[in-house]
Amino acid sequence: EIVLTQSPATLSLSPGERATLSCRASQNIISYLAWYQQTPGQAPRLLIYDTSNRATGIPARFSGSGSGTDFALTISSLEPEDFAVYYCQQRVSWPLTFGGGTKVEIK
Amino acid sequence: EVQLLESGGGLVQPGGSLRLSCAASAFTFSSYAMTWVRQTPGKGLEWVSVFPGTGTSTYYADSVKGRFTISRDNSKNTLYLQMNSLRAEDTAVYYCARGRGPSIWYFDLWGRGTLVTVSS
């Protein structure tokens, strides 16, 4: 099973600041990584797939990068609605796995 | 409106069974992989099972293999999850979600979830 480790667990930032979230895989997952956003009481929302492709309707301030085992999600300038929990997910092998999440909270 | 709506959750005793349903609307259901993902209250996401949009191969997390069965009825635009031999650790909100294609395991449309509580 591929383990995805997200860091930090919590990121405390102010609106307008840049956020960088990390996801590290226990094995090479090439570029088969997605990022999801989840706000309280809501279902997850797909933000990024295959490392760097934004899903439909996702603003350009969200970007993804990386390859192999190290990946990052960057939010260039935090908007109030971006304070949420973010999960990474790999699809290179079974079972599909998610990271433990990074909570982006208002400082 | 393109949407997924889960139903069938509730309170069940350990060892019991439950069947979840997920009704799809306004898209060509048969063309997409469909999955179940669960989330323990206050915790992270755990993938449970997936049914591709083509073929009949299904996949399961080890934690549910042999106890849960995923199925779909394309004529009814509905995905199912039959859950048997339920355990306390199966307590979670269960989401159904749509794959980005018939065999693309990223999920771009999610339901609101249905809560399953396993307790005596």
Side-chain angles (χ1 to χ4, degrees):
Chain A
E1 172 175 323
I2 294 175
V3 177
L4 298 178
T5 302
Q6 291 188 241
S7 61
T10 304
L11 198 51
S12 299
L13 295 168
S14 301
E17 289 194 293
R18 181 184 188 91
T20 303
L21 289 64
S22 173
C23 178
R24 177 164 290 177
S26 61
Q27 302 173 36
N28 183 1
I29 59 171
I30 312 172
S31 63
Y32 297 127
L33 187 92
W35 291 92
Y36 298 82
Q37 176 194 65
Q38 188 177 33
T39 54
Q42 301 297 314
R45 176 174 71 144
L46 178 66
L47 298 176
I48 301 284
Y49 64 94
D50 285 342
T51 297
S52 60
N53 297 289
R54 278 189 300 276
T56 303
I58 301 304
R61 65 181 181 272
F62 291 92
S63 63
S65 62
S67 67
T69 60
D70 290 303
F71 299 85
L73 172 71
T74 300
I75 310 170
S76 59
S77 178
L78 283 164
E79 297 287 339
E81 62 268 27
D82 299 338
F83 292 91
V85 181
Y86 293 83
Y87 296 95
C88 55
Q89 177 235 324
Q90 64 82 20
R91 72 168 184 97
V92 77
S93 70
W94 305 105
L96 304 180
T97 50
F98 289 90
T102 290
K103 180 179 182 180
V104 179
E105 64 175 24
I106 300 176
K107 187 175 181 180
Chain B
E1 181 187 356
V2 176
Q3 66 177 356
L4 298 170
L5 184 61
E6 302 94 339
S7 60
L11 174 63
V12 61
Q13 292 188 338
S17 298
L18 213 54
R19 187 175 85 153
L20 306 183
S21 299
C22 171
S25 305
F27 66 93
T28 306
F29 179 73
S30 60
S31 296
Y32 293 88
M34 297 296 298
T35 198
W36 290 98
V37 173
R38 67 186 182 183
Q39 185 170 35
T40 305
K43 298 286 182 65
L45 301 169
E46 180 187 13
W47 172 75
V48 173
S49 182
V50 71
F51 201 123
T54 55
T56 58
S57 295
T58 55
Y59 303 90
Y60 296 91
D62 285 347
S63 58
V64 306
K65 201 173 293 183
R67 300 187 299 122
F68 289 12
T69 302
I70 191 171
S71 62
R72 64 192 295 165
D73 185 336
N74 289 338
S75 68
K76 295 182 178 179
N77 293 335
T78 302
L79 178 74
Y80 302 99
L81 186 68
Q82 178 66 45
M83 304 186 296
N84 298 330
S85 302
L86 282 160
R87 306 166 180 167
E89 54 264 35
D90 296 319
T91 295
V93 174
Y94 285 72
Y95 294 102
C96 71
R98 182 185 75 177
R100 289 197 72 252
S103 57
I104 300 177
W105 322 121
Y106 301 129
F107 307 106
D108 64 357
L109 177 67
W110 294 65
R112 293 187 173 186
T114 187
L115 176 62
V116 172
T117 303
V118 183
S119 175
S120 55

